[in-house]
């Protein structure tokens, strides 16, 4: 497979996953604000932290109001972190490989981009936001399902799964990091709202029902952290994502270095007692994980995305 084809498939999957996760996070934040009393609710700024785009946002907007943050994340054409930008970039990658992916999936992605842009004004209103975000999530999930059901499960599909699951693992850690830090400072008078906080973390990842099925416990910080980091069954848990990346990388040529990195990540996930980590330690732990995710992406790009001659030159 040509390196440019592999790279386009990989990035198409990552951008679609980012669009879906961004839609989900905005939706859950809006619901959380309704559940928490004024003064305790975190507002909209944490959503910008999750995307890691604070500098870009502050260069374009003067305040972290609801209208500004929602516009930035849903439809700002000049923001590289908006749902529309993610879907547009996914489509540009898909356009380059139209003869590789099923025609129906190209049409589905194209329709998703056009529909999301056409109904943007609906998404910017409080009354229409839920339906808009729901349509984005369903559109992304439909595309993922269509590709799984119609695309050859060859090397191209392996790169699709690598991109999707690496992006998913990264987004899960970002949501845990920000959501576990910003909502409740731990004062005793706010304890009654702790369960709402952790339910919102689970719902941000569509993990609430699966958590209750597997843990059958009340929602607590240690159990939620163990579930979202270490579950090998829940598809958005970091450990499960790494197992999926590993399964797709293993059949590829020259995979030894990438597999060693994944083994290191899995050991870090298995050996850590994440449930007992204090907030500062949890933040440090997540930082370390995200650095290795970056190393893994770099290893994937160096091994499979650069021209063969350049790869050989770097290996020499």
């Amino acid at each position: 497979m040509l390196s440019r084809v592999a790279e386009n498939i990989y990035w198409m999957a990552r951008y679609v996953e980012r669009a879906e996760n961004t839609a989900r996070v905005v939706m859950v934040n809006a619901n959380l604000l309704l559940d928490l009393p004024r003064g305790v609710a975190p507002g909209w700024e944490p959503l910008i932290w999750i995307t890691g785009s604070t500098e870009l946002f502050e260069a374009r907007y003067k305040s972290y109001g609801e209208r500004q943050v929602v516009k930035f994340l849903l439809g700002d054409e000049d923001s590289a972190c908006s749902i529309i930008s993610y879907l547009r970039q996914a489509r540009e990658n898909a356009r380059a490989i139209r003869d590789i992916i099923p025609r129906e999936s190209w049409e589905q992605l194209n329709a998703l981009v056009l529909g999301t842009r056409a109904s943007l004004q609906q998404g910017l209103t409080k009354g229409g936001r839920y339906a808009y975000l729901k349509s984005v999530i369903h559109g992304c999930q439909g595309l993922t399902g269509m590709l799984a059901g119609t695309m050859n499960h060859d090397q191209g599909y392996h790169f699709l799964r690598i991109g999707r699951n690496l992006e998913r693992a990264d987004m899960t850690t970002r949501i845990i990091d920000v959501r576990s830090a910003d909502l409740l400072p731990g004062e005793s008078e706010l304890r009654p709202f702790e369960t709402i906080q952790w339910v919102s973390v689970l719902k941000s990842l569509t993990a609430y029902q699966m958590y209750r099925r597997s843990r059958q416990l009340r929602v607590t910080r240690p159990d939620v952290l163990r579930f979202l980091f270490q579950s090998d069954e829940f598809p958005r848990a970091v450990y499960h994502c790494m197992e999926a990346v590993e399964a797709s990388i293993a059949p590829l040529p020259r995979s030894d270095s990438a597999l060693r990195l994944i083994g290191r990540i899995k050991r870090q996930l298995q050996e850590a007692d994440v449930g007992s980590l204090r907030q500062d330690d949890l933040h440090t732990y997540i930082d370390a994980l995200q650095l290795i995710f970056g190393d893994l992406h770099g290893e994937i790009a160096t091994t499979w995305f650069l021209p063969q001659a350049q790869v050989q030159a770097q290996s020499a």
Side-chain angles (χ1 to χ4, degrees):
M1 165 167 282
L2 294 174
S3 60
R4 67 170 179 80
V5 173
E7 187 171 12
N8 280 314
I9 294 174
Y10 171 87
W11 277 111
M12 178 187 72
R14 291 200 70 157
Y15 284 129
V16 170
E17 186 69 24
R18 281 184 197 178
E20 181 187 337
N21 280 312
T22 302
R24 184 178 291 111
V25 167
V26 173
M27 181 187 293
V28 171
N29 198 68
N31 293 335
L32 181 65
L33 294 182
L34 298 176
D35 293 334
L36 291 174
R38 189 183 297 272
V40 174
W44 291 90
E45 186 174 358
L47 274 63
I48 303 300
W49 301 343
I50 290 175
T51 62
S53 55
T54 301
E55 190 174 336
L56 176 62
F57 179 86
E58 292 181 350
R60 295 180 52 75
Y61 299 94
K62 294 181 178 177
S63 70
Y64 285 92
E66 176 179 351
R67 184 172 62 84
Q68 290 83 357
V69 171
V70 170
K71 181 181 179 184
F72 181 80
L73 293 179
L74 265 59
D76 192 329
E77 295 276 359
D78 297 325
S79 163
C81 304
S82 68
I83 289 172
I84 282 184
S85 292
Y86 290 145
L87 292 176
R88 190 179 61 222
Q89 292 174 85
R91 184 174 63 174
E92 289 308 307
N93 282 277
R95 189 193 305 279
I97 50 172
R98 286 178 64 176
D99 55 341
I100 302 295
I101 60 176
R103 177 179 183 141
E104 290 80 2
S105 60
W106 159 253
E107 293 173 348
Q108 167 93 358
L109 178 55
N110 203 35
L112 180 59
V113 174
L114 296 175
T116 302
R117 181 175 287 152
S119 55
L120 175 61
Q121 289 306 314
Q122 176 192 0
L124 297 179
T125 65
K126 288 186 178 180
R129 188 176 306 152
Y130 179 83
Y132 178 81
L133 295 172
K134 202 78 174 176
S135 70
V136 172
I137 293 170
H138 286 171
C140 293
Q141 291 178 332
L143 179 63
T144 299
M146 179 180 290
L147 287 166
T150 59
M151 185 177 176
N152 284 345
H153 287 203
D154 53 10
Q155 287 191 349
Y157 190 69
H158 288 319
F159 282 105
L160 185 86
R161 293 188 73 226
I162 293 168
R164 181 171 68 234
N165 284 287
L166 185 54
E167 181 67 34
R168 189 173 288 179
D170 180 70
M171 195 67 175
T172 295
T173 60
R174 286 173 183 268
I175 290 172
I176 295 172
D177 192 21
V178 174
R179 281 303 189 205
S180 62
D182 72 303
L183 296 184
L184 300 178
E187 287 88 344
S188 58
E189 64 270 22
L190 297 180
R191 289 293 182 194
F193 302 113
E194 186 175 4
T195 298
I196 296 175
Q197 171 191 1
W198 289 104
V199 168
S200 82
V201 174
L202 291 169
K203 287 185 175 179
S204 295
L205 297 161
T206 321
Y208 179 66
Q209 285 179 288
M210 295 303 103
Y211 169 88
R212 297 306 297 261
R213 274 192 60 189
S214 66
R215 293 298 189 268
Q216 296 180 343
L217 297 167
R218 70 187 183 91
V219 178
T220 64
R221 183 181 193 275
D223 287 318
V224 171
L225 290 176
R226 292 187 189 104
F227 180 71
L228 293 179
F229 277 109
Q230 297 172 329
S231 172
D232 59 359
E233 296 176 336
F234 181 62
R236 293 186 180 275
V238 181
Y239 188 84
H240 185 280
C241 290
M242 286 300 104
E243 286 203 316
V245 172
E246 182 180 45
S248 291
I249 282 182
L252 299 176
R254 310 188 307 279
S255 61
D256 291 351
S257 296
L259 289 175
R260 279 196 292 274
L261 272 175
I262 295 172
R264 189 174 145 204
I265 297 171
K266 289 174 66 177
R267 282 194 298 277
Q268 284 192 220
L269 291 166
Q270 288 175 316
E271 294 171 0
D273 184 5
V274 291
S276 66
L277 292 177
R278 297 165 59 98
Q279 190 55 42
D280 288 347
D281 296 330
L282 178 63
H283 180 70
T284 302
Y285 177 71
I286 290 174
D287 270 355
L289 274 180
Q290 290 180 340
L291 285 175
I292 309 181
F293 291 158
D295 292 342
L296 179 57
H297 165 72
E299 183 63 36
I300 291 168
T302 301
T303 304
W304 292 294
F305 297 164
L306 295 178
Q308 187 63 27
Q310 192 170 346
V311 171
Q312 290 172 351
Q314 291 188 0
S315 302

